[in-house]
Amino acid sequence: MGQVVAQPVDPERVAHARERLLSRDDAARLSSILSLLADPTRTRVIYALDLAEELCVGDIALTLDLGEDAVGYALRILRTAGMVTRRKEGRTVYYRLADGFPEPLRAHCLRRLIEISDGSDAADDDD
């Protein structure tokens, strides 16, 4: 038996979506970034660095009320992913968001999604 090809209900919208759809590679990269943000500690570290521009591990730990080991582990993962960079001044290592850290991710994902998730944003429709 041959494969039956389904016909779309709305061919124009299907064509529109297909033209703009993420490639599989882009979707994989996006999923990777979002999985990094799925961890609350890593998200809070990124948020703190966005607010303070640069902090050492101890100061991040104090800011987030976490242990230095947990912060260090989160920073290691974020640094490996290229989301944060570090610089050394004497014996102190300072971390900051990487120069290429996408501003839309900071502005929309970190700030706007917090607003939406806490219910301070009105629903667009009542579906």
Side-chain angles (χ1 to χ4, degrees):
M1 286 195 160
Q3 185 177 4
V4 176
V5 178
Q7 296 297 317
V9 173
D10 191 334
E12 287 181 27
R13 288 186 184 192
V14 170
H16 179 78
R18 282 182 174 248
E19 290 169 6
R20 291 159 180 81
L21 192 63
L22 286 175
S23 70
R24 291 181 199 277
D25 289 343
D26 287 345
R29 282 193 300 275
L30 179 60
S31 293
S32 179
I33 290 170
L34 293 175
S35 71
L36 288 170
L37 296 175
D39 176 75
T41 299
R42 290 190 297 260
T43 299
R44 292 179 74 215
V45 166
I46 289 171
Y47 203 86
L49 291 175
D50 182 40
L51 295 171
E53 292 185 28
E54 183 178 77
L55 292 166
C56 67
V57 173
D59 287 350
I60 296 171
L62 287 170
T63 299
L64 304 181
D65 197 26
L66 292 172
E68 288 187 22
D69 287 345
V71 170
Y73 181 71
L75 285 166
R76 232 178 347 271
I77 292 171
L78 293 169
R79 196 169 141 259
T80 300
M83 297 181 92
V84 299
T85 59
R86 66 181 180 176
R87 74 172 178 87
K88 209 169 184 185
E89 188 175 295
R91 294 177 55 182
T92 306
V93 179
Y94 292 93
Y95 291 86
R96 65 176 36 240
L97 295 178
D99 288 338
F101 195 94
E103 179 55 34
L105 183 63
R106 290 159 73 170
H108 195 75
C109 287
L110 296 180
R111 298 178 193 130
R112 184 75 177 117
L113 290 178
I114 294 292
E115 293 170 9
I116 291 169
S117 69
D118 74 5
S120 63
D121 189 50
D124 289 334
D125 57 85
D126 297 327
D127 288 344

